[in-house]
Amino acid sequence: MMNKTTLQIRHSFFAILLTLSVLLLNSGVLLAHGGEDHGDAKPKTAASTAGIVSHSSRIGDLEILIKHPILKPDTSSSARLFITKYATNEPADGVTSGIEVEAANGSVTQVAVEKTDTAGTYQLKMPALPEGTYTMRVGITYTGETDTVTFPGVAVAHETALATSGLSWLRTTLIFLTGLIVLSLFAGLMYFVWRSADDGEIRSETVSA
């Protein structure tokens, strides 16, 4: 039978390991969503390493996706809007859409939307905007119903500012990975202590015998 000290070590090991695991998993969820834990139907924004920014959300039975390059001040650019059926991921036709961006001072600029020959795909003309942070609104009319989704925090910035933002994301990721390494080392240490306690107990029982 295990002595009292061995039981205490094992209970402490499992309690600490469980606590650290929960904390790291929760922080991983937050990092994956830019600091907020959203459901599938909530607006999401993500940037790829290729410099493409994606905005996605569900509106009723539809799912929308906007892709555009990183927006630079006073520079117009092209973008794409994809509208699909949420349940089947098929392109949705017969949809009317309108897009606008609102500056922090309340001024609103319309985004030109042009339907392409591909069902559910639209060409966008992003306007030249001053440096700042904007809110993008996408209005969708489908089967007689109209709804709007809002994407806040759309950045228009010079490459230096964008690089700083990228470094901040990298720093956060490195901190998370460091936490995982620390957890692994701690688990290894506790396992060594656990085995040592078992070996000590076996030797004790052998001497007693």
Side-chain angles (χ1 to χ4, degrees), residues 18-171:
L18 178 61
T19 301
L20 289 175
S21 299
V22 171
L23 290 175
L24 286 172
L25 286 174
N26 285 340
S27 60
V29 170
L30 292 177
L31 290 174
H33 295 88
E36 294 184 61
D37 184 13
H38 294 311
D40 291 339
K42 297 297 181 66
K44 298 183 181 69
T45 296
S48 71
T49 55
I52 300 299
V53 180
S54 300
H55 309 280
S56 61
S57 183
R58 178 181 176 181
I59 300 181
D61 296 330
L62 302 177
E63 185 169 18
I64 68 169
L65 171 65
I66 295 177
K67 289 188 175 183
H68 62 77
I70 293 174
L71 302 177
K72 299 178 182 180
D74 306 313
T75 304
S76 60
S77 59
S78 298
R80 283 291 178 111
L81 166 65
F82 304 92
I83 304 177
T84 56
K85 297 179 181 178
Y86 183 79
T88 63
N89 205 34
E90 299 175 75
D93 210 351
V95 180
T96 302
S97 61
I99 302 176
E100 64 181 25
V101 289
E102 181 179 353
N105 61 10
S107 63
V108 176
T109 304
Q110 299 295 323
V111 176
V113 180
E114 182 180 347
K115 196 177 186 310
T116 67
D117 294 333
T118 303
T121 302
Y122 301 79
Q123 183 73 29
L124 307 181
K125 183 68 172 180
M126 303 298 295
L129 299 168
E131 184 174 6
T133 301
Y134 295 78
T135 298
M136 181 186 296
R137 295 189 184 88
V138 182
I140 298 293
T141 300
Y142 181 64
T143 63
E145 296 184 2
T146 301
D147 207 344
T148 302
V149 64
T150 300
F151 297 105
V154 178
V156 178
H158 293 285
E159 291 184 2
T160 302
L162 294 172
T164 302
S165 176
L167 288 175
S168 176
W169 177 86
L170 179 60
R171 188 183 301 112

